[in-house]
Amino acid sequence: MTPPAPPGAWADLTGASPRWVRTVVYAALVGRLAALPLGLIVGAVWGEAGFAGFSGLIEAVDLRLILLAVVFAPLVEQLLVLVAVGILHWGLRLPPWPAALISAAGCCALHGLVPASILVFPLFALLGIVQINRARRGSLLAGFGLGVLIHALANGVAVLSALALGL
């Protein structure tokens, strides 16, 4: 008898596989890279006005920003994702993807009610689906921890990018 095939990249990306390191890396990269085309669209349609008031922009890197972006924001925002998908998926019985997408839309509002808030939507959608898939695998806490790691890595990439640009 042949052993079952290992989970594919989609299962790794969405937290449905046991390979949690791949989930963290894939989700952080996809969530962050998905912001690039969205940012181009926002810039083309609204110009600089589309980014005014967006809390995801980095103007200068200092210790406070690093702690906020890599420690505090991932913990607090993943707790909000957990509560939102908990209410939507387990409370209201929405299917996993609609619950994750609705919670992502709510989390976008935390970054400002401006067009650029859409930049964080893919990351928050992935955080929601990872939370649901990990809870299905038996651990709500593992989903929370993975979400925090994904978010911290994605924000860390943004901070390192800002440092590389000399901000």
Side-chain angles (χ1 to χ4, degrees):
M1 185 161 166
T2 352
W10 183 254
D12 290 337
L13 173 66
T14 60
S17 83
R19 302 186 294 202
W20 65 271
V21 173
R22 288 185 185 194
T23 297
V24 170
V25 172
Y26 289 179
L29 290 177
V30 168
R32 188 55 64 201
L33 290 175
L36 294 174
L38 293 172
L40 291 173
I41 292 168
V42 168
V45 174
W46 287 280
E48 285 186 32
F51 296 93
F54 176 55
S55 68
L57 296 179
I58 298 174
E59 294 179 13
V61 176
D62 58 8
L63 181 60
R64 184 187 62 81
L65 173 82
I66 293 169
L67 288 174
L68 182 68
V70 181
V71 178
F72 183 72
L75 286 168
V76 171
E77 291 177 350
Q78 187 60 29
L79 183 60
L80 294 172
V81 168
L82 172 61
V83 169
V85 297
I87 292 169
L88 295 167
H89 180 63
W90 295 294
L92 298 176
R93 304 276 185 218
L94 287 179
W97 276 103
L101 295 174
I102 292 168
S103 72
C107 290
C108 284
L110 296 174
H111 287 266
L113 296 173
V114 296
S117 296
I118 195 72
L119 300 178
V120 296
F121 185 86
L123 178 64
F124 279 110
L126 284 170
L127 292 174
I129 202 68
V130 165
Q131 182 68 60
I132 291 169
N133 283 336
R134 280 298 163 166
R136 283 180 169 171
R137 294 180 56 76
S139 179
L140 199 62
L141 187 58
F144 177 79
L146 276 178
V148 169
L149 284 173
I150 291 165
H151 198 151
L153 180 59
N155 286 359
V157 167
V159 169
L160 286 174
S161 300
L163 282 171
L165 292 172
L167 298 178

